[in-house]
Amino acid sequence: MTLLGTTLFLSFFMPSVLTLIGIPGLESVQCWIAVPFCAMYVIAVFGNSLLLIIIKSERSLHEPMYIFLGMLGVTDIALSTSIVPKMLGIFWFHVPEIYFDSCLLQMWLIHTFQCTESGILLAMALDRYVAICYPLRHAAIFTHQLVPQIGAVVTFRAAILVAPYLVLIKYRLQFYHTTVISHSYCEHMAIVKLAAEDVQLNKIYGLFVAFTVAGFDLMFITLSYIQIFITVFRLPQKEARLKAFNTCIAHICVFLQFYLLAFFSFFTHRFGTHIPPYIHILFSSIYLLVPPFLNPLVYGAKTKQIRIHMVKMLCS
């Protein structure tokens, strides 16, 4: 009892300001690391904005596949914007302080947009599954009313699942060992590790959300593409097989890089005790910045309709 009292006495009670130190161990080169991060952010915002303009202005692209792509672009812009400005403030302008409530808000936004992106990738996989396996029923299933409803459900699911993070930290954890976060942004586990109290419930719920969202979405995406490949390889003509497969290749590239980076970051952060902290932080940042940066490049290069309209727009 005395030991517990001493621990709480030496701890901070509900600190109003936290400090983000950036990338521990690489403080001397953070200003240079910020250069590629800033470049990726600029390309991500410009590329996704260009995609949104093209999809909105071209009536021929007002189809479920491209509308979902537009939703993905909005999510990517929001996700990268919730991270990079503060990160650049730490790296370039040495402004590491952040209000406790602002930190919780950033954490909620980051994880909500992550879960939303996973749900949109699932919706895109189901759209391709119906389009290839049941082409005559695609227009009847993916109607113009259903697509925005799917987007709303995916966003609502993410917001509701991530909201308990805020409650469990704000109202359950009162005492903190330190106010210094060894990270470049407010990540759930990075905040939880500051607490001087039992955080087992926070860890369990974090694992529950990760496996509920990523596990559920990845399972159905995999099942969808198994069925797609079976259907494609049964097509009698080689040209038809190539055309069907080509409509999916961009989405396959996008969801592979998203989930591979996600699982690597997730498992190294929780179980990679022998990996240097700066490796954790670098890969966590890359995981959040690379998908928004790559998605418009992949879809712009691999989707013929978007590529044609993009060339027209840039030339004009």
Side-chain angles (χ1 to χ4, degrees):
M1 183 69 181
T2 305
L3 181 61
L4 177 61
T6 304
T7 302
L8 295 179
F9 179 75
L10 296 174
S11 301
F12 297 89
F13 176 75
M14 291 298 293
S16 59
V17 177
L18 300 175
T19 302
L20 290 161
I21 64 172
I23 305 176
L26 297 178
E27 289 88 352
S28 60
V29 294
Q30 283 184 162
C31 59
W32 300 109
I33 295 174
V35 174
F37 282 3
C38 181
M40 285 194 289
Y41 173 64
V42 171
I43 294 172
V45 173
F46 176 77
N48 284 294
S49 299
L50 188 60
L51 273 181
L52 290 170
I53 293 169
I54 291 170
I55 292 170
K56 181 176 175 57
S57 60
E58 296 294 335
R59 294 187 61 84
S60 61
L61 300 181
H62 293 179
E63 298 177 8
M65 173 183 172
Y66 302 108
I67 295 173
F68 285 134
L69 180 55
M71 294 179 187
L72 189 67
V74 172
T75 305
D76 282 339
I77 292 172
L79 176 60
S80 55
T81 301
S82 65
I83 302 166
V84 176
K86 180 58 183 177
M87 193 182 294
L88 296 180
I90 299 168
F91 293 170
W92 280 343
F93 305 108
H94 308 291
V95 186
E97 294 81 14
I98 183 171
Y99 287 110
F100 185 82
D101 290 338
S102 300
C103 191
L104 292 183
L105 176 62
Q106 187 191 48
M107 177 199 70
W108 180 78
L109 290 173
I110 290 170
H111 292 297
T112 297
F113 293 135
Q114 284 178 296
C115 295
T116 302
E117 182 152 351
S118 180
I120 294 172
L121 291 175
L122 171 60
M124 295 172 77
L126 294 177
D127 172 67
R128 291 300 85 204
Y129 164 70
V130 176
I132 292 174
C133 298
Y134 304 98
L136 298 179
R137 298 171 59 185
H138 180 262
I141 294 174
F142 279 89
T143 62
H144 289 291
Q145 291 76 29
L146 179 65
V147 172
Q149 290 173 359
I150 291 175
V153 169
V154 164
T155 306
F156 183 75
R157 179 194 70 163
I160 292 298
L161 281 175
V162 177
Y165 282 177
L166 302 176
V167 177
L168 290 174
I169 292 174
K170 181 76 174 177
Y171 299 104
R172 188 172 177 274
L173 305 179
Q174 303 292 313
F175 295 93
Y176 293 82
H177 287 301
T178 177
T179 59
V180 178
I181 303 177
S182 298
H183 215 299
S184 54
Y185 60 87
C186 294
E187 195 266 343
H188 175 244
M189 285 304 300
I191 300 174
V192 168
K193 287 178 180 178
L194 304 180
E197 301 169 79
D198 181 24
V199 296
Q200 196 63 28
L201 181 60
N202 299 74
K203 291 182 177 180
I204 291 172
Y205 187 74
L207 289 170
F208 166 76
V209 172
F211 283 105
T212 298
V213 174
F216 176 86
D217 294 351
L218 187 58
M219 180 181 69
F220 278 96
I221 289 173
T222 304
L223 290 174
S224 298
Y225 273 98
I226 289 173
Q227 288 297 116
I228 287 171
F229 290 146
I230 291 172
T231 303
V232 168
F233 288 125
R234 285 177 178 172
L235 294 174
Q237 296 179 337
K238 182 180 178 181
E239 292 78 8
R241 290 198 298 269
L242 289 174
K243 184 179 179 181
F245 184 73
N246 194 52
T247 62
C248 302
I249 191 66
H251 184 253
I252 293 172
C253 294
V254 166
F255 96 78
L256 278 178
Q257 56 92 13
F258 177 82
Y259 285 108
L260 287 175
L261 285 171
F263 280 110
F264 182 84
S265 174
F266 178 81
F267 285 113
T268 55
H269 194 73
R270 284 163 176 80
F271 307 113
T273 53
H274 301 295
I275 300 175
Y278 65 85
I279 298 294
H280 291 293
I281 310 306
L282 275 175
F283 271 95
S284 296
S285 303
I286 289 170
Y287 155 56
L288 294 177
L289 289 176
V290 167
F293 161 71
L294 280 183
N295 289 351
L297 300 179
V298 171
Y299 279 105
K302 298 300 297 182
T303 308
K304 183 179 178 181
Q305 292 88 336
I306 291 177
R307 189 167 64 246
I308 291 170
H309 293 302
M310 190 174 294
V311 171
K312 282 183 181 178
M313 180 173 290
L314 293 175
C315 290
S316 64

